[in-house]
Structure formats: C-alpha cells, structure tokens
Amino acid sequence: MRLSRVLEPIQIGSMTLRNRIMMGSMHVGFEKQEDGVERLAAFYAERARGEVGLIVTGGAAVRPEGGMGDKYCNVYLDQHITPLMLITDAVHQAGGKIALQLFHSGRYAHKEATGLDPVAPSPLQAPINRWKPRELQADEIEMTIQAFADGAVRAKKAGFDAVEIMGSEGYLINQFLSPVTNKREDEWGGDFQRRARFGIEVAKRVRQAVGSDFPVVFRMSGLDLIPESTTMEETVQFAAMLQEAGMDALNVGIGWHESQVPTIAMMVPRGAYVWVAQQIKQGVSIPVIASNRINDLRQAEAILEDDRCDLVSMARPLLADPLIVRKSSEGRFDEVNTCIACNQACLDHIFDGKIASCLVNPEVGREKEWALAPATKLKKVAVVGAGPAGLEAARVLAERGHQVVVLEKQHQIGGQLNYARQVPGKQEFNETLRYYRTQLSRLRVEIRLGIQATTAMLEEEGFDEVVVATGVIPRRPEIPGIDLPHVVSYAQVFEKQAKVGKRVAIVGAGGIACDLSHLLVQDEPISPQAAQYLMEYRILDAKSMHRMQQSGRKVFMLRRGKHVGTGLGKTTRWAVLANLKRHGVEMMTQIDYREITPQGVVITQGDAEQLIAADTVVIAAGATSNDQLFHELNGRIPVHVIGGAKEAGELDAKRAILEGSAIGRAI
C-alpha cells in the first residue's frame, strides 16, 4: 500500500506541517532525573528525525498547584524558559516542529508532589486522588486564565512552534465544562454557557497574548465517558465556540482518568473513537485531530481518506517506534515496531511515579546511553530460546554486527507471547512477533526451530558466547490429587495439548490465570464481519450475539492470597477483572487447598470446606526458571542468562525484552 493523504502537508494557522501525523502529548517523567531536560531533548529529537509532522510535549504546568512538582516541566516562571530551549533547539536541529502543552490538572493534582492544595471549580474530590480540592475564588480564576496566557508567551520565547491548551482528560478546563465537577452558581458555572466560559476565556487570552501568527491548538474532550457529564450536542457547540475564540486546530481527547470505560487499552478496538472527531469536524472548519488506538499509518491513511478528521495523533506508537512515519512513508510497514497498547511500561510507570519507557522498545528514556554502536570485536553468539528475551537479544546483537544463531526447541518463535496472542483482546501481540520475524530476517539471523540445545552442541559449533533465554517451567504445587488425569498445566491449554471441560477450576489467579480465563470463556468468537451481517439482517439480536460469542464454560479462579490479577498493570487491571466478572468468572481468594478429586477441587475458606466442582483443573500457580543449560555451560563458555530463565515469577515480557536489549548491547 502506498500512502498519500497522510503524507500531505497541512496548515495549522501560520504553521505548515510536512505530514498529517502528530505525536500526542505524554507525560514521560524524564525530568525527574538529574539530566532530565537533556533526556527529554534527546527523546523528542529522535522522534523529529523519524519525520513526524508535529510533536506535542507532556504537560507544562502554568501554575505550581496544577502541575506535578518542581522536577517536571513547568512554564509559570521566566526562569523556566532557558531549560525549555534545550528541547526546541534539539528538535529543530533534527528537522522537526514541536508544541508545548499548557497544563493545569485541577483536582487531579497531588499535594504530595506540589506541596499545595489542589484546586477545582467546586470542592469535589476525584476518586483517583486522596486529596480534596478547594474551590477557586473569582480572583484566582482570573489569575489562572492569565497564567495560561503567560505560559504561552514563555513557550513562544523558548522557541516552540506552537502551543496546545490541555482542556481534556478530566483536567481543570474539562472540570469547569462538566456539570459533574462544576457545581458553581456564579458566572463560572450553572448552565452550559457559563460552564464553557473558563475554557473559552483561556483560549481567547492565549490567542491575544501570542498574536495571530502563532499557532494555538486546543485539546478538547470529545467524550468524557462520565455519567451525566457534557453531552455530545454541548461538545460540538463548545468546538464551534473555540473556533470563534481563535483556535487554529482542535485535538479531540477521549475519556477522563477516572472513567470506568477502557479507552486506550489493548482490548479497545483500533480507531474505536474516530467517530467522535468526525462529529466535531462536522461542526467546525478548522483542522480536527483524531486520537486513541490508532497505531498504523495505513489505518491513519484510511481515516483521512474518508475525511473523518484532518490529522491523526499517535502518542504511544511513537514510543514503540520513533521512526514509524519514515518507515511507513517508505513502504516498510513490516519493519515498524508496533505499539501493542499494553500500557505496562508507559502509563503504568507514570501512575506509579516511575519514568516511562516502552515494553516493546526499552530504548525509550535511555536514548542518550543506549544509542546502538557497532561491536568492537565481532563474535559468533548463540541465543538459546526464541521468546521475547531471546528475540530482542538476537536483534540487538545482529544490529551491532555479531553473527547470531537462535536455537528454539519449539517449532515457532515467540515463546509465551504465543500464549498471550490467543487471548481475546490481545491480538496485538501478533504485531510484535511480526516485527521480530521481519527484523531477524533483515539482519540474516539464523533461526533453528525444533532444536534442543545442549552443552556439547554449543561447544562443538564453536560459539564465542551464549545467551540463555530458555524461559520458565510451570510450577506444580504440592496438592493431593495433582496427578489425576483431569489436571493440566496452563501451558498444555495454551498449546492445545489438553481438552478442557465445561466447568474449570484454575489453581492460581495471577496474570496468566486471567489470560487463561478470558480464553476459556470466549474461545468461540464470531468474526466482526459475520457479527455485523447477522445483526444487520436481524438473524441475531445483540443479546443473542453476546450469548453466541461465549463458550458456555463456568470458570473459577482460586488463590491462597488476597488479590486477583497481581502482576497486571494499574491502568488495565480494573478493566480486565471487570470483563472477567461480566463473563461470569468467579474469583475466590484467601483459600487453602485440601485436595483435588475426580469431582473438582476441595478448598477451605475460613472454617468452611467446600467442593469446587470441575471437569478440568488447570494449574496456573506460577513458574520456576528453566536455567539448567546456564548452569551446565557456566565455566565452559562465556554465558549470560536473561528473562524467565534468570528470574521466574509472573510472566513479564517487559523485563524480558529489557534484559534482552541490555545483553545485546553488553556483548
């Protein structure tokens, strides 16, 4: 496929962009490090070299109480201008354009980070913040509006090509607009016009401050996904008011951080919210930007060709592959390291107060020290195991010039990624495997499948070094009856070596058990095309379709501990567990196992004993490291161990790929 529309230049105010792909704003937290601004500069410059049309920074606080603390990017003092110039200089030298996002988090601000009480239109506590905000007074509202304008002027002085006003995702401007969070009865609250006033005044004041020739983008909420919040009719009206206020483009955000609807997780279909941007585009004449779960430029091309928006915002896809635009423009789609929307190293890190990275691209945040350099001494290296750790090690080793041979006992690459990609809603893992197949082929890495590597073989072939990435072995807990014929391991189920009955008890309730439960309750899906046909012709209604897409199994997850889904990320765990509950999966915690019988699993919970009736009992109670080869080789050939073979525990592709990337740079 050849791209055309996505590569067309577009005008935003006085600024011409080389193409219609924008890197959306992300908080990455690099500023917390000693050389944080330099790291940010290197990070953004790498994306500029990848030829993205416009980069938008993470939010820069316009007021101290509305930011994330002194260590993050701020724009409320003149002294903030000089550090920001390091970023704009780096991006411009790389041939890119960059906008600063003007940010105030309102009631989402954390007092432990700012040292100040959070503020909001009304003193209503956010469910995701333990600090209750105080209500802004009229003079403080005026001061905050002016702070946005002053921040925009500082951004212009720092060399930014544009600014974006953050009015989405449940932050301060969005809080003023929504009747859920704005209960005021003065000129800043009440009916829609008064609730909209704060955002419109910010837009007008920023426009007045920077002049007519400096581009201003407004990131507005297209869909709050909060009950009783702003209506779509009001949203379209607000968009028209923003155009009238002098905005040059509208970037359409989806959902609040407290929303109970997944918007960016892997389970969300690609492009599921483009229709919202399309609704807004019909009400304005300035460019409209669509976002959320668009991770392929071919998908962006189709959206733009259908005239559903004017630009496409990609945030996490540019974490996963900073060169996604350049590669795609050259037709090298298979070489793109596609974002799989796992959130494990980006959003989960940020919400845990860590520095953001990327599961499939651990170079994020390490651009300065991890730039790939050719090996000083070329070696013949064996990588034993073709799971995520081994694949990444092989890729990096080969990129640096080593001769690499991958030895895998299974008949396909991927290791336990082949389990994950079977789970409904996790098909994006297919993209990661496609990426590695393409890269290893491009780099002429020899892959031998169906080979059980031995010490003798590795010595005989004369490998200079060996990387052991042999993964894990499912753990078998000591429970009476575990050897009965209806007891199987999670690996046997994923590898289709075991027939599973209609009543299933899973011993274990971690991440792998959650994946397994999804697979077992939804293992007979109807294709989307077939579902559309059946419902369009009223062969099946929505209720019947839902029933048809279920396997009919009853699944129980059992755990000695207190919590289900440990190991799942903070931003997705709640959605995964809610989905399982909707499908009737029962989760029983703080239990003890008495025995497994032909009828099921006998447990005790408190003082009560009960039988969990089951045709099949699946053991998903963790794993142990498969490190025998490492110990055999140690002292005979220089050997390294990574991934699950180094440390078992919950299956962790993030750690596996990180360790593979690190060892590939170390040899």
Side-chain angles (χ1 to χ4, degrees), residues 104-371:
H104 193 304
S105 53
R107 71 177 192 158
Y108 282 170
H110 290 273
K111 187 174 181 178
E112 57 264 38
T114 65
L116 301 165
D117 289 328
V119 298
S122 300
L124 302 172
Q125 187 171 349
I128 59 172
N129 192 352
R130 65 192 183 93
W131 299 100
K132 184 178 179 179
R134 63 176 182 82
E135 182 171 296
L136 282 164
Q137 300 304 305
D139 61 332
E140 293 177 307
I141 291 174
E142 165 58 33
M143 180 177 63
T144 305
I145 293 169
Q146 188 59 41
F148 275 94
D150 293 343
V153 171
R154 293 187 185 103
K156 189 175 181 180
K157 289 179 178 177
F160 286 93
D161 301 286
V163 290
E164 177 179 84
I165 299 168
M166 171 44 108
S168 183
E169 267 74 21
Y171 292 118
L172 183 66
I173 293 174
N174 211 170
Q175 291 161 26
F176 267 95
L177 184 64
S178 172
V180 173
T181 45
N182 187 345
K183 302 297 184 182
R184 303 175 74 99
E185 296 180 354
D186 61 5
E187 65 269 33
W188 301 103
D191 60 22
F192 168 71
Q193 292 291 334
R194 286 182 289 165
R195 296 196 316 272
R197 184 183 171 198
F198 180 77
I200 298 303
E201 288 300 320
V202 168
K204 287 179 177 178
R205 194 77 60 87
V206 168
R207 167 54 67 214
Q208 183 181 20
V210 296
S212 60
D213 63 343
F214 189 74
V216 182
V217 179
F218 195 102
R219 181 168 173 85
M220 63 174 291
S221 180
L223 202 63
D224 292 347
L225 297 176
I226 298 290
E228 308 303 319
S229 196
T230 313
T231 67
M232 180 56 71
E233 182 182 7
E234 290 172 335
T235 298
V236 174
Q237 188 178 347
F238 187 58
M241 293 164 71
L242 288 168
Q243 176 173 316
E244 182 67 24
M247 297 298 91
D248 293 305
L250 300 176
N251 185 10
V252 181
I254 303 294
W256 289 16
H257 290 311
E258 64 198 77
S259 169
Q260 294 299 299
V261 179
T263 57
I264 54 174
M266 196 185 303
M267 65 181 69
V268 179
R270 292 188 185 186
Y273 291 101
V274 174
W275 64 272
V276 182
Q278 186 174 9
Q279 293 273 306
I280 291 168
K281 179 174 168 57
Q282 291 169 2
V284 297
S285 58
I286 56 177
V288 172
I289 305 158
S291 65
N292 286 61
R293 287 292 283 124
I294 304 169
N295 63 354
D296 188 310
L297 261 75
R298 290 167 292 190
Q299 177 193 7
E301 175 78 9
I303 292 166
L304 292 165
E305 274 292 334
D306 288 344
D307 205 27
R308 302 177 73 188
C309 63
D310 302 287
L311 295 95
V312 168
S313 174
M314 293 182 171
R316 294 170 302 164
L318 278 140
L319 288 181
D321 196 329
L323 305 181
I324 181 173
V325 177
R326 187 199 299 174
K327 289 178 180 177
S328 299
S329 67
E330 295 170 356
R332 298 186 289 134
F333 301 107
D334 281 351
E335 292 185 34
V336 171
N337 194 3
T338 302
C339 169
I340 60 173
C342 67
N343 295 345
Q344 290 180 37
C346 51
L347 287 172
D348 287 347
H349 276 207
I350 291 300
F351 282 108
D352 278 338
K354 301 175 184 175
I355 292 162
S357 188
C358 177
L359 181 146
V360 300
N361 179 22
E363 188 177 321
V364 170
R366 301 175 175 91
E367 283 84 0
K368 284 181 69 178
E369 62 267 42
W370 266 27

Side-chain angles (χ1 to χ4, degrees), residues 510-559:
I512 193 72
C514 290
D515 277 354
L516 187 64
S517 296
H518 272 129
L519 181 69
L520 292 176
V521 296
Q522 290 183 270
D523 69 347
E524 296 174 1
I526 296 173
S527 73
Q529 294 83 0
Q532 182 179 352
Y533 161 77
L534 292 169
M535 292 178 70
E536 189 172 317
Y537 285 92
R538 300 182 183 180
I539 299 166
L540 293 174
D541 59 17
K543 191 173 181 180
S544 301
M545 178 61 65
H546 178 76
R547 189 169 58 249
M548 286 286 292
Q549 291 181 313
Q550 310 311 305
S551 66
R553 288 194 179 94
K554 179 64 181 176
V555 175
F556 298 84
M557 286 200 293
L558 312 174
R559 185 157 223 175

